[in-house]
Amino acid sequence: MTARKIIIDTDPGQDDAVAILLALASPELDIVGITAVTGNVPLSLTEKNALKICELAGKPETPVYSGAIRPLMRPLVTAEHVHGKTGLDGPDLPEPKMTLHKEHAVDFTVETLMNEESGTITLCTLGPLTNIALALIREPRIASRVKELVMMGGGFFEGGNITPAAEFNIHVDPHAADIVFRSGIPIVMMPLDVTHKALTSPTRIAAFRSIGSRPGIAVAEMLGFSERFDKEKYAGEGGPLHDPCVIAYLLAPEIFKGRKCNVTVETVSELTLGMTVVDWWGVTDRPKNAFVMRDIDHEAFFAMLVERISRL
Ligand code: RIB
Ligand code: CA
């Protein structure tokens, strides 16, 4: 079986870290590159965190590129209140020895999509869509060459998590998200409506810790840190594990359920900036530009996560 070639665009972030570890532990996936984008914390930290995670996984040969330092139009909004000042609070991970590749993330993404066989590269986006939008502006021809873009972003029935209307990744760069949703790229969307059903719990965190390896213990420490914010906010026993849903879809699409819909991004109203307006009931004739997920078999999801992380 040929491994599926993927580019992971990310703003680590503890949940990004778990997604990247899942991908690095999975032989079905060939990570052609990891591109860092500003989001949860500034780019100087997201790029370093991406390196730290590759070393934690024992994969220092993974190519990591640095990308956009700010959103297209909006001032940068970050989320240290969730992820801590390093963006990866929880475990004490050493300064990385591996270094960033010199090429800019946007150039790497464009060159990869233009040089690899059309339809063979999957984009997995875990943060704001600034790098992808810049790549589309730099070379519009890439849109028809992407196999699929699987994103964590947006929300509809669940509303927002950074404003009442908007999910963080889309809110940080709504103009970039608008470019991506209008691009014609085949999109699979993992909004809050599905990630809020993938909740950690003390038992689930303990399962990572009991793996006993550095990656397993680090995952438990990361989730233990980031869940403190979510437990208070959602008054639950755990927090949503957003970004690993993207990678889990590539490995086990059958654990998700959703439907093709139109998704349109609010880019004007200050009240609802970054809202993803999902035509779930098909009441408009807008093009169905995304497969929007709403349900997950969360038992299967966490079982797969623990089994795969234990392989690192
Ligand atoms: O809203 C959740 C998303 O925003 C996740 O990708 C998290 O890492 C942050 O980037
Ligand atoms: Ca993220």
Side-chain angles (χ1 to χ4, degrees):
M1 172 203 66
T2 313
R4 183 168 181 171
K5 292 184 177 182
I6 68 172
I7 293 173
I8 299 176
D9 192 68
T10 179
D11 64 334
Q14 289 88 348
D15 61 321
D16 301 68
V18 180
I20 294 167
L21 291 172
L22 174 60
L24 289 169
S26 301
E28 303 93 324
L29 304 176
D30 171 8
I31 299 177
V32 175
I34 294 178
T35 54
V37 66
T38 193
N40 283 320
V41 285
L43 180 66
S44 59
L45 288 172
T46 59
E47 63 188 30
K48 183 197 295 189
N49 291 343
L51 297 173
K52 286 185 175 181
I53 296 155
C54 291
E55 289 190 344
L56 174 65
K59 309 273 185 177
E61 71 284 2
T62 309
V64 179
Y65 301 83
S66 182
I69 196 164
R70 52 148 296 178
L72 296 184
M73 305 283 284
R74 298 288 298 173
L76 177 58
V77 170
T78 52
E80 286 86 348
H81 61 292
V82 180
H83 299 277
K85 64 178 176 20
T86 71
L88 216 47
D89 284 24
D92 181 14
L93 299 178
E95 285 299 295
K97 294 188 180 61
M98 65 186 278
T99 56
L100 294 164
H101 279 232
K102 295 281 171 280
E103 198 180 8
H104 191 278
V106 172
D107 294 334
F108 160 74
T109 300
V110 168
E111 261 118 66
T112 301
L113 285 165
M114 295 308 287
N115 296 335
E116 292 287 339
E117 186 189 343
S118 183
T120 60
I121 300 289
T122 297
L123 301 178
C124 302
T125 68
L126 314 179
L129 291 160
T130 315
N131 285 342
I132 310 303
L134 287 170
L136 284 161
I137 292 166
R138 183 176 173 302
E139 180 46 85
R141 288 179 295 169
I142 64 170
S144 62
R145 301 179 66 85
V146 176
K147 177 184 175 65
E148 198 167 45
L149 185 154
V150 190
M151 75 163 68
M152 191 280 139
F156 187 60
F157 298 99
E158 280 291 294
N161 59 3
I162 191 75
T163 75
E167 178 277 328
F168 180 81
N169 287 340
I170 309 298
H171 181 73
V172 167
D173 201 336
H175 303 93
D178 188 41
I179 288 168
V180 172
F181 277 106
R182 292 178 189 276
S183 68
I185 295 175
I187 293 172
V188 174
M189 180 182 175
M190 295 286 171
L192 299 178
D193 309 290
V194 69
T195 66
H196 279 187
K197 296 171 182 172
L199 295 174
T200 62
S201 68
T203 306
R204 286 172 166 169
I205 290 177
F208 289 107
R209 190 178 300 280
S210 64
I211 295 172
S213 63
R214 277 188 65 241
I217 292 166
V219 167
E221 291 171 337
M222 285 184 218
L223 299 184
F225 180 86
S226 55
E227 73 157 10
R228 88 220 175 284
F229 170 80
D230 289 311
K231 278 165 74 171
E232 190 184 326
K233 178 174 180 178
Y234 298 111
E237 64 163 11
L241 196 43
H242 304 286
D243 291 340
C245 290
V246 170
I247 306 302
Y249 169 77
L250 301 181
L251 299 171
E254 68 279 2
I255 71 171
F256 295 94
K257 283 197 177 61
R259 66 172 67 161
K260 272 212 89 167
C261 308
N262 173 265
V263 178
T264 302
V265 181
E266 175 61 66
T267 59
V268 177
S269 157
E270 279 301 324
L271 177 63
T272 56
L273 190 70
M275 180 177 181
T276 47
V277 180
V278 178
D279 186 7
W280 183 264
W281 304 115
V283 297
T284 74
D285 57 1
R286 295 173 193 156
K288 295 182 178 178
N289 58 344
F291 198 96
V292 180
M293 294 301 182
R294 196 174 173 193
D295 283 301
I296 181 173
D297 175 345
H298 54 78
E299 296 294 352
F301 173 70
F302 278 96
M304 175 170 63
L305 266 176
V306 171
E307 192 279 322
R308 291 293 168 113
I309 302 290
S310 69
R311 298 186 187 188
L312 293 172

